[in-house]
Amino acid sequence: MAGKLGLIIKREYLAKVRNKSFIVMTILSPILIVGMIVLIAYLTKVNDSEKRVVAVLNESGFLHREFSTSEHTSFIQFEDISLDKAKDSTSSMGLYGLLHIPDGKGLEQVAKTAYLYTKDNPNTQITQQLERVFQRKLRQNRLGDLGVSSEQFSDIEKPFELNLATFEGEKSVKGITEIKAFIGGGFGYAIMMFIIIYGTFVMRSVIEEKTSRIIEVIISSVKPFQLMLGKIIGTSLAGVTQFVIWLISASLLLFVVLLISGIDISAVMAELQNTPGAMGGMSELANTLDEDTLLYAREIVNIPWLLLISSFLLYFVLGYFIYSSIYAAIGAAVDNETDTQQFVFPVILPLMLAIYVGFFSVFSNPHGPIAVGFSLFPLTSPIVMLMRLPAGIGEGGVPLWQLLLSILLLIGSFLAIVFLAAKIYRVGILMYGKRPTYKELVKWLRY
Amino acid sequence: MDHILVAKDVSKSYGDHQALRNISLEIPENCIYGLLGPNGAGKTTFIRIINQITYQDSGKVLFNGKSLAPEHIALIGYLPEERGLYKSMKVGDQALYLAQLKGLSKSEAKKRLKYWFDRLDIGDWWGKKIQELSKGMAQKIQFIVTILHEPKLLIFDEPFSGFDPINANIIKDEILQLKEKGTSIIFSTHRMESVEELCEYIALIHNSEKILDGKLSDIKKSYKNNIFNVGLQVDRDAQLFLDDLKTQFQILSSQFYQQECQLDFKVQLPSGNTTEILTQLSKQANINRFEETIPTANDIFIQTVNKRDNGR
């Protein structure tokens, strides 16, 4: 019996892997993704690289030397010409705009009568930049009226950042909760994508066997459950193969990019080897990395990777089996792919919900009631629990009972759903004709 | 006589629909057994139970005297009515896969496949995909895959559908040879002429019930009703002659062909005794035809089903 399951797995795997569209997708996807990233980066750069030149006609006694060239803007000073002439030259020189600061009594007066002339509505970046200059000068001026010296003023202007630490006294850094949830979210997202893509493959493969009418020949040799199981395992192995190929090619690509860009890889490797947990080695590294980066690195190293990856595998396997057996049952219930939509939507719904609820509520509060609820509910827990887990287990992280309950519920519903799906599958594969209703599906469970 | 398969009071229902009601059958070893019945009668359900694709709600099925069990799957070959193959898989790979699922080792399956591919003259199809073959060609491969593991019991559901007459004949000969080698064969079909030709035993299933079964020749005997077709050369007034006959015998229908002076009629002889009528006729006319009408399987099929329906 086990031999037959092996045969089915092998066939399903080879049928998937030898498929032309699978090969094309495997090769093309990384190229497409890398290409997209490069394209987006390039387009953004092109978009931002435009430098705007603003002419300044300053007739007042204030605000000289205040307009300094920034990344996106530079300034030209006009002197001793009339406003109309300045406007003409601005447009004839093709400059972005003209800032006119007329003469007046005192800074307040001057600022009030200043104008920026542009062809169309001005870019907010520029107006904000100019406004900041005026604001700062005005504030300094007003404080100066109250007797604050300019040295004192620069002290006042110094920005402030709150120091963060955990109860254990470790210094913590901002945004680490988000980063952790993001890492967990990445795992959750991977699970969702894998389920949707490979679940659909399982469904298609079932429909193919139905429409080609080979199904009855096969189930006169093997049990329908064996066939379903073999199909799910074979298809997922094909999926894993694809992921491994992508992972390897991505690392190779990274290696090549690093090589080309001239970064000393051996030095990087040495640094990476020193980093994990080795607080003693931090002082050497401190030369190359600033303190914050170090803190982030430590936090990321401190994420319970072993726990995260082992629970990823567990949640992945269970979640994938639950969903793909539902997909198999759907494939068995219908005759062609167009009929699947009404059944597929309710299946994708909890997955989408898990991702969105996860990203919104887990990001803001990893251990709030919504996050806890969704990380226990079996259809969403593979995704939501993984978002919570980077915080670790126990104090400050996921309580152990929640993790265990979540896994227990998942295993329980895994058994129940696979059992029910197998029943629908067993009846459905021999049914041809009209698309069944939900009521009929429930009836099939009793056959 | 040994039975390859015995069904006792087998019932099966799908929800409210009763697909089989107390079916009892005995299928003798090494014979061709025709399973007949109109569409939707329950034949396919019964066959699926034998193949353990579905299970009966009540009753028993014995294979070789033992209760049907998973290990029997390797001893049964099944060619379903709804059949097909993987479209994008190569013929050889596909046949190997299906043979291995039936429990053959890879090398053994390969050896036997080669033999059958040569025998049916399709050796050069090995590397082709099913979608490149015609329907009839695919049917041949399907046939080979069904019989490859040399099962003790073969079940054919409409085996000739999709074959042209020449290939249908080849397949028919193969089926007969398999029977010669000792295989028992269940044959489910609507094609009555092939029943006539192949089956020794039949069972008729109608509306989920078995309404008739037994040896085909016995059934035919019991269905014959002593009606004889008679053809005469009459040189006298045929009408007068016929009226005269009608006083003594039960004439069912008659036809006179003036030009050829040919009188044809059907007569029923309750006792089956032909001496009396033959003596009388031979004195008065030239007999050119005298034969007993034997009902065809088709007649029996229609007659029984109609009788059953009208009896309700």
Side-chain angles (χ1 to χ4, degrees):
Chain A
M1 280 294 161
K4 285 185 186 177
L5 184 62
L7 279 172
I8 297 169
I9 293 173
K10 192 175 145 208
R11 196 209 81 84
E12 293 294 332
Y13 178 78
L14 289 179
K16 194 84 228 122
V17 172
R18 282 182 185 160
N19 190 301
K20 277 200 192 75
S21 65
F22 181 87
I23 297 170
V24 170
M25 275 305 288
T26 308
I27 298 170
L28 231 53
S29 299
I31 297 174
L32 275 177
I33 290 171
V34 171
M36 282 290 277
I37 292 171
V38 169
L39 187 70
I40 289 170
Y42 174 72
L43 288 178
T44 316
K45 213 176 157 202
V46 166
N47 200 31
D48 284 355
S49 64
E50 189 196 350
K51 206 155 190 175
R52 300 188 180 93
V53 185
V54 175
V56 181
L57 179 60
N58 195 346
E59 295 164 345
S60 72
F62 307 97
L63 291 162
H64 289 285
R65 291 193 309 276
E66 292 294 336
F67 301 102
S68 52
T69 299
S70 75
E71 202 183 333
H72 303 298
T73 349
S74 60
F75 299 93
I76 295 179
Q77 304 290 337
F78 284 167
E79 272 167 48
D80 301 328
I81 48 172
S82 71
L83 177 60
D84 286 339
K85 228 174 173 182
K87 278 184 189 169
D88 283 347
S89 352
T90 305
S91 60
S92 69
M93 284 163 78
L95 303 181
Y96 185 77
L98 172 69
L99 178 67
H100 179 228
I101 307 170
D103 198 9
K105 274 190 278 163
L107 184 63
E108 297 281 338
Q109 173 85 29
V110 166
K112 255 181 208 153
T113 50
Y115 269 91
L116 175 68
Y117 300 99
T118 53
K119 210 170 147 199
D120 325 299
N121 279 335
N123 178 296
T124 32
Q125 245 181 344
I126 290 195
T127 49
Q128 275 174 358
Q129 194 187 348
L130 296 175
E131 278 163 359
R132 261 199 305 275
V133 172
F134 278 96
Q135 256 169 19
R136 191 179 132 82
K137 214 64 206 167
L138 283 168
R139 206 181 307 136
Q140 191 180 6
N141 193 38
R142 286 167 197 157
L143 287 167
D145 289 349
L146 296 171
V148 179
S149 74
S150 53
E151 291 83 44
Q152 283 170 323
F153 177 69
S154 15
D155 276 351
I156 293 171
E157 284 287 279
K158 260 190 192 148
F160 169 76
E161 268 186 70
L162 187 63
N163 292 316
L164 302 169
T166 62
F167 288 124
E168 283 76 36
E170 280 181 53
K171 230 178 152 185
S172 57
V173 278
K174 272 188 289 187
I176 196 68
T177 318
E178 281 80 0
I179 288 178
K180 281 179 173 175
F182 214 80
I183 290 168
F187 281 117
Y189 198 77
I191 289 184
M192 185 193 79
M193 289 311 289
F194 197 92
I195 286 175
I196 291 181
I197 295 174
Y198 291 94
T200 311
F201 281 156
V202 169
M203 187 176 77
R204 277 202 202 127
S205 162
V206 174
I207 293 174
E208 190 211 330
E209 275 173 0
K210 247 188 111 170
T211 48
S212 73
R213 313 258 159 164
I214 195 176
I215 188 73
E216 198 162 347
V217 177
I218 291 182
I219 59 168
S220 65
S221 320
V222 298
K223 296 245 169 302
F225 183 68
Q226 279 180 312
L227 182 61
M228 186 175 106
L229 204 65
K231 195 174 280 301
I232 290 172
I233 296 175
T235 308
S236 55
L237 285 180
V240 170
T241 307
Q242 198 167 39
F243 271 8
V244 168
I245 291 173
W246 285 344
L247 215 64
I248 291 173
S249 54
S251 339
L252 281 179
L253 210 66
L254 193 70
F255 187 77
V256 169
V257 166
L258 287 176
L259 213 64
I260 291 171
S261 58
I263 295 170
D264 190 349
I265 293 162
S266 59
V268 174
M269 292 303 274
E271 273 179 34
L272 283 176
Q273 273 162 7
N274 280 334
T275 314
M279 296 300 284
M282 285 284 178
S283 53
E284 299 162 37
L285 275 169
N287 300 328
T288 46
L289 302 164
D290 66 58
E291 200 192 355
D292 267 2
T293 319
L294 221 64
L295 276 171
Y296 279 115
R298 199 192 61 203
E299 281 289 350
I300 288 170
V301 168
N302 278 352
I303 288 174
W305 286 106
L306 196 68
L307 170 77
L308 195 62
I309 288 171
S310 51
S311 13
F312 168 73
L313 291 176
L314 182 69
Y315 278 101
F316 171 76
V317 169
L318 290 174
Y320 173 73
F321 269 80
I322 286 182
Y323 276 100
S324 54
S325 59
I326 297 176
Y327 269 109
I330 293 173
V334 300
D335 282 355
N336 56 65
E337 220 179 319
T338 43
D339 283 348
T340 59
Q341 260 124 24
Q342 67 152 336
F343 297 115
V344 167
F345 180 67
V347 177
I348 296 182
L349 199 65
L351 288 173
M352 298 301 243
L353 209 63
I355 284 289
Y356 289 114
V357 166
F359 269 110
F360 286 113
S361 66
V362 176
F363 270 36
S364 59
N365 184 2
H367 310 304
I370 300 289
V372 170
F374 274 85
S375 64
L376 293 181
F377 181 61
L379 289 179
T380 52
S381 62
I383 294 167
V384 179
M385 188 52 100
L386 281 178
M387 291 183 175
R388 296 180 60 200
L389 271 180
I393 298 182
E395 208 171 318
V398 179
L400 188 63
W401 69 267
Q402 285 183 7
L403 181 66
L404 292 181
L405 180 62
S406 159
I407 291 173
L408 226 64
L409 283 173
L410 194 64
I411 291 174
S413 42
F414 159 74
L415 294 173
I417 288 175
V418 170
F419 175 75
L420 294 178
K423 279 200 140 184
I424 289 180
Y425 178 81
R426 197 168 65 88
V427 178
I429 44 177
L430 294 174
M431 294 274 182
Y432 293 99
K434 78 178 193 41
R435 183 177 65 194
T437 60
Y438 281 106
K439 211 172 133 192
E440 279 166 317
L441 289 186
V442 172
K443 224 163 145 193
W444 289 2
L445 293 177
R446 294 201 302 266
Y447 280 2
Chain B
M1 187 168 36
D2 283 338
H3 292 102
I4 183 87
L5 195 96
V6 177
K8 284 180 187 158
D9 281 329
V10 171
S11 294
K12 170 79 185 172
S13 50
Y14 293 110
D16 304 330
H17 172 66
Q18 179 118 34
L20 289 177
R21 191 176 294 127
N22 299 327
I23 299 273
S24 294
L25 288 177
E26 293 181 340
I27 298 176
E29 218 161 75
N30 194 17
C31 77
I32 301 183
Y33 194 100
L35 200 57
L36 318 177
N39 290 322
K43 294 182 307 248
T44 303
T45 304
F46 184 66
I47 291 173
R48 281 181 182 166
I49 288 173
I50 301 175
N51 279 295
Q52 302 174 59
I53 292 171
T54 51
Y55 300 93
Q56 67 270 28
D57 298 336
S58 63
K60 246 193 199 162
V61 182
L62 303 177
F63 185 90
N64 248 348
K66 287 184 205 100
S67 206
L68 207 58
E71 67 259 28
H72 292 138
I73 283 175
L75 303 175
I76 300 175
Y78 173 37
L79 183 68
E81 185 179 7
E82 298 286 4
R83 53 185 171 255
L85 295 160
Y86 289 112
K87 284 196 179 62
S88 51
M89 208 172 164
K90 282 185 181 150
V91 170
D93 292 346
Q94 185 146 216
L96 268 180
Y97 171 62
L98 293 171
Q100 281 175 281
L101 281 187
K102 276 288 185 189
L104 285 182
S105 73
K106 193 170 179 178
S107 55
E108 182 64 25
K110 216 171 208 164
K111 208 172 81 191
R112 291 192 197 178
L113 277 172
K114 207 176 144 25
Y115 167 78
W116 278 102
F117 271 50
D118 286 344
R119 186 180 168 113
L120 293 185
D121 212 13
I122 56 174
D124 51 337
W125 294 358
W126 188 273
K128 285 194 176 163
K129 286 184 177 175
I130 292 292
Q131 57 201 8
E132 299 165 33
L133 303 181
S134 74
K135 194 183 170 198
M137 291 160 136
Q139 299 274 55
K140 262 190 181 174
I141 292 157
Q142 201 111 44
F143 178 80
I144 294 174
V145 167
T146 310
I147 61 170
L148 198 71
H149 58 292
E150 293 173 1
K152 292 183 75 138
L153 175 65
L154 271 168
I155 302 170
F156 294 114
D157 202 345
E158 297 293 352
F160 302 122
S161 74
F163 278 119
D164 58 70
I166 295 167
N167 279 314
N169 247 333
I170 294 174
I171 296 301
K172 195 185 82 192
D173 290 344
E174 292 297 342
I175 291 176
L176 285 172
Q177 285 208 22
L178 285 165
K179 195 223 145 193
E180 288 304 308
K181 284 184 194 153
T183 315
S184 315
I185 294 162
I186 295 177
F187 191 36
S188 164
T189 186
H190 312 296
R191 281 186 29 164
M192 287 306 155
E193 69 274 18
S194 47
V195 173
E196 210 72 64
E197 220 171 330
L198 294 171
C199 299
E200 294 154 70
Y201 293 82
I202 60 161
L204 184 54
I205 294 178
H206 180 51
N207 277 339
S208 325
E209 285 177 70
K210 181 190 82 181
I211 53 177
L212 181 72
D213 71 333
K215 210 168 180 162
L216 184 59
S217 53
D218 292 347
I219 290 174
K220 279 192 168 183
K221 230 175 265 169
S222 74
Y223 266 74
K224 74 179 183 189
N225 30 22
N226 298 329
I227 293 173
F228 294 82
N229 278 327
V230 185
L232 298 175
Q233 284 285 316
V234 192
D235 43 11
R236 300 187 280 133
D237 184 351
Q239 197 54 48
L240 210 69
F241 178 74
L242 202 60
D243 288 343
D244 188 31
L245 270 180
K246 273 184 182 166
T247 56
Q248 301 167 61
F249 302 105
Q250 201 180 342
I251 308 290
L252 298 173
S253 64
S254 62
Q255 181 106 40
F256 182 63
Y257 302 93
Q258 193 86 47
Q259 267 174 334
E260 295 98 11
C261 301
Q262 173 77 23
L263 176 68
D264 288 352
F265 62 89
K266 271 192 168 124
V267 60
Q268 181 150 37
L269 304 170
S271 60
N273 186 346
T274 56
T275 337
E276 195 185 341
I277 189 168
L278 275 175
T279 326
Q280 185 156 358
L281 287 177
S282 59
K283 278 187 213 150
Q284 296 170 2
N286 209 10
I287 305 171
N288 52 25
R289 199 151 55 83
F290 191 96
E291 63 184 10
E292 187 174 16
T293 60
I294 296 168
T296 61
N298 201 31
D299 292 336
I300 295 171
F301 182 96
I302 293 168
Q303 204 180 328
T304 322
V305 167
N306 283 343
K307 200 158 75 191
R308 193 75 175 196
D309 285 346
N310 295 336
R312 281 172 180 247

